[in-house]
């Protein structure tokens, strides 16, 4: 990099020193016979005031030394990146006594501003004497941050002050109080919602019946929150999920879906009214119900061997391997229908008899299920108004 020396100065050589050099020219080179030379400001230096009998007085004249990289302005020099002298993280400074610019490192950076890669970031956190920090120091490009430790406040560069005990207690106590109030409010609102659902689902009447009332959380835990792999089957009004209680009791939970609450309550009340009348070994037994949910849940005994439909169409099934087994399942199904039509009080017509609604337990015993389409027969009634129900086809 070429550096031009510019100043109001010139090299003055004493003509007298050439004749009467002090020390007999021993301290100068042969090419310059003068005794000594110095820089002086030509505007203020007066040769007549200088006594040649000795060295020049340091106060005899003011000397000004100033240099610039180029005589261009910072803006024009910066337009040509190939010749621009200032490197990364630098400032372009103007000369105070004329045209031209010089380069300097930005605050927080150090190094040579003229050589690549330029000025480098100072790690202020490594020099706590020059860059004080009373807390946690973090270096940033050209600067640093200082945060106070947990439980203290203030500017970490100048000092940190601890919170008063009263302030800490107040903030902590207020936060804990808000959390407690929020939890209590959630519990109260949830209980009110469950109580409302219980009353609207006929709980005040059904709780006096000989049927178990299950809790919403109890059934959700038993079915693993109604996980798909727990699903036993799906019908027009809902799905049936397998559940296991903490005492290892297995059950089947019928969860309604896809219809409005008014229609759901009508379907539920119809089915629960039917099932409560039934008590037969070849009819699926109702274990209980849940009334805390918006839509009630029915809980039946779990029948482990699947549906008759499955065993008829599964060639590998051994349940119907003999005519004896087939006749037995048919007879047990007939017994269930006979009970519903003739022995139940009041009698009822199932309305949706099909192989999907006939279940088989671990012994292969037939169990009639799904009374959503059933019809009660009033005493003395001889004619029943019928309509198409169940599964088409």
């Amino acid at each position: 990099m070429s550096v031009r020396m510019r100043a109001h100065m010139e090299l003055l050589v004493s003509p007298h020193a050439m004749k009467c050099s002090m020390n007999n020219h021993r301290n100068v080179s042969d090419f310059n016979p003068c005794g000594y030379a110095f820089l002086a400001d030509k505007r203020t230096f007066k040769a007549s005031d200088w006594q040649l009998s000795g060295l020049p007085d340091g106060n005899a004249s003011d000397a000004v030394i100033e240099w610039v990289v180029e005589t261009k302005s910072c803006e024009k020099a910066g337009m040509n990146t190939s010749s621009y002298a200032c490197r990364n993280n630098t400032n372009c400074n103007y000369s105070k006594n004329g045209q031209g610019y010089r380069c300097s490192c930005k605050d927080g950076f150090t190094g040579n501003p003229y050589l690549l890669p330029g000025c480098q970031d100072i790690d202020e956190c490594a020099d706590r004497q020059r860059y004080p920090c009373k807390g946690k120091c973090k270096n940033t490009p050209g600067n640093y941050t200082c945060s106070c430790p947990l439980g203290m406040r203030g500017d970490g560069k100048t000092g940190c002050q601890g919170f008063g005990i009263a302030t800490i207690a107040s903030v902590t106590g207020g936060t804990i109080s808000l959390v407690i109030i929020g939890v209590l409010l959630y519990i109260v609102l949830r209980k009110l919602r469950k109580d409302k659902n219980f009353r609207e689902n006929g709980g005040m009447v059904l709780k006096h019946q000989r049927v178990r009332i299950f809790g919403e959380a109890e059934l959700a835990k038993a079915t693993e929150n109604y996980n798909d792999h727990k699903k036993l089957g799906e019908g027009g009004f809902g799905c049936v999920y397998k559940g296991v209680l903490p005492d290892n009791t297995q059950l089947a939970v019928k969860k309604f879906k896809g219809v409005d609450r008014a229609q759901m309550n009508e379907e539920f009340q119809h089915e629960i009214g039917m099932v409560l009348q039934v008590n037969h070994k070849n009819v699926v037994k109702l274990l209980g119900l849940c009334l805390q949910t918006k839509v009630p849940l029915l809980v039946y005994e779990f029948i482990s061997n699947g549906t008759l439909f499955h065993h008829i169409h599964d060639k590998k099934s051994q349940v119907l391997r003999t005519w004896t087994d087939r006749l037995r399942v048919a007879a047990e199904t007939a017994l269930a229908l006979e009970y519903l039509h003739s022995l139940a009080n009041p009698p009822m017509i199932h309305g949706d008899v099909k192989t999907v609604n006939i279940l088989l337990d671990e012994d292969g015993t037939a169990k009639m299920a799904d009374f959503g389409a059933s019809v009660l027969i009033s005493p003395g009634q001889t004619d029943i108004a019928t309509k198409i129900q169940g599964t088409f086809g």
Side-chain angles (χ1 to χ4, degrees):
M1 178 179 61
S2 62
V3 178
R4 300 179 181 179
M5 303 298 297
R6 180 186 55 78
H8 305 295
M9 63 184 73
E10 59 185 10
L11 182 65
L12 301 183
V13 181
S14 170
H16 303 284
M18 297 174 65
K19 297 179 180 179
C20 51
S21 171
M22 298 176 63
N23 302 320
N24 196 24
H25 305 288
R26 288 194 303 268
N27 297 327
V28 296
S29 300
D30 295 337
F31 69 88
N32 190 354
C34 62
Y36 50 85
F38 59 91
L39 294 173
D41 186 353
K42 68 178 182 180
R43 295 176 297 181
T44 59
F45 177 73
K46 294 182 180 179
S48 60
D49 295 335
W50 180 43
Q51 298 179 3
L52 299 178
S53 59
L55 294 175
D57 186 359
N59 297 323
S61 178
D62 294 330
V64 180
I65 302 177
E66 190 179 55
W67 61 274
V68 295
V69 180
E70 287 185 291
T71 56
K72 295 179 181 180
S73 65
C74 291
E75 289 78 7
K76 290 184 177 180
M79 294 176 64
N80 190 347
T81 56
S82 60
S83 62
Y84 185 54
C86 300
R87 301 303 181 182
N88 297 328
N89 305 313
T90 59
N91 293 321
C92 181
N93 304 315
Y94 286 110
S95 169
K96 295 181 179 179
N97 297 298
Q99 296 181 350
Y101 72 91
R102 294 192 299 271
C103 306
S104 64
C105 290
K106 291 182 177 180
D107 293 339
F109 294 88
T110 186
N112 192 322
Y114 302 101
L115 299 179
L116 289 173
C119 299
Q120 303 300 305
D121 177 48
I122 298 173
D123 186 3
E124 290 86 354
C125 296
D127 189 353
R128 292 295 183 91
Q129 292 184 349
R130 294 181 59 191
Y131 307 98
C133 179
K134 304 298 183 181
K136 183 179 180 181
C137 184
K138 182 179 179 181
N139 184 53
T140 60
N143 206 338
Y144 72 104
T145 60
C146 184
S147 56
C148 291
L150 183 64
M152 306 187 74
R153 61 182 176 180
D155 182 2
K157 296 181 180 180
T158 57
C160 299
Q161 297 81 35
F163 288 104
I165 296 178
T167 303
I168 296 176
S170 177
V171 173
T172 305
T175 303
I176 294 176
S177 298
L178 288 176
V179 173
I180 293 175
I181 292 173
V183 172
L184 292 176
L185 183 61
Y186 171 77
I187 293 174
V188 170
L189 292 176
R190 186 175 181 181
K191 186 177 185 304
L192 290 174
R193 176 181 60 81
K194 290 183 177 181
D195 291 342
K196 179 182 178 182
N197 290 332
F198 184 84
R199 292 191 303 271
E200 292 181 352
N201 292 327
M204 301 307 294
V205 176
L206 292 172
K207 71 178 182 179
H208 299 296
Q209 301 289 335
R210 290 181 298 176
V211 62
R212 178 175 174 180
I213 304 298
F214 288 88
E216 178 184 10
E218 183 181 12
L219 294 182
K221 182 178 180 180
T223 59
E224 298 181 12
N225 202 25
Y226 304 99
N227 198 304
D228 283 343
H229 79 270
K230 292 286 187 178
K231 185 182 293 186
L232 298 174
E234 185 172 357
F237 285 100
C239 300
V240 179
Y241 297 86
K242 179 182 178 181
V244 181
L245 297 177
D247 62 357
N248 291 326
T249 299
Q250 296 183 335
L251 43 81
V253 181
K254 184 174 183 180
K255 185 178 182 183
F256 292 93
K257 66 170 187 176
V259 293
D260 57 55
R261 180 167 185 151
Q263 182 181 3
M264 195 69 71
N265 282 341
E266 180 181 354
E267 174 74 13
F268 164 76
Q269 292 172 8
H270 186 81
E271 182 165 353
I272 194 65
M274 295 292 173
V275 177
L276 286 175
Q277 312 299 322
V278 175
N279 183 19
H280 192 272
K281 68 175 183 178
N282 296 118
V283 178
V284 175
K285 183 179 180 180
L286 179 71
L287 298 181
L289 47 139
C290 175
L291 304 174
Q292 293 180 338
T293 55
K294 184 176 181 180
V295 177
L297 306 175
L298 297 177
V299 183
Y300 291 96
E301 64 174 325
F302 174 69
I303 308 301
S304 61
N305 220 350
T307 68
L308 179 59
F309 178 90
H310 167 75
H311 291 286
I312 289 176
H313 295 279
D314 185 5
K315 296 181 180 180
K316 296 181 180 180
S317 174
Q318 298 297 312
V319 175
L320 305 177
R321 64 184 182 279
T322 66
W323 279 105
T324 301
D325 291 327
R326 299 181 186 185
L327 288 173
R328 178 183 51 78
V329 170
E332 291 171 346
T333 303
L335 287 174
L337 294 175
E338 179 192 21
Y339 167 79
L340 296 175
H341 293 170
S342 305
L343 301 178
N345 186 23
M348 68 181 71
I349 296 177
H350 187 279
D352 194 16
V353 178
K354 56 185 177 182
T355 55
V356 173
N357 288 336
I358 300 173
L359 307 180
L360 300 177
D361 66 9
E362 64 275 6
D363 298 323
T365 302
K367 301 273 188 176
M368 184 66 67
D370 197 345
F371 294 84
S374 300
V375 178
L376 287 175
I377 304 175
S378 301
Q381 185 177 2
T382 56
D383 296 329
I384 301 176
T386 59
K387 61 180 179 179
I388 297 176
Q389 297 189 88
T391 304
F392 289 100

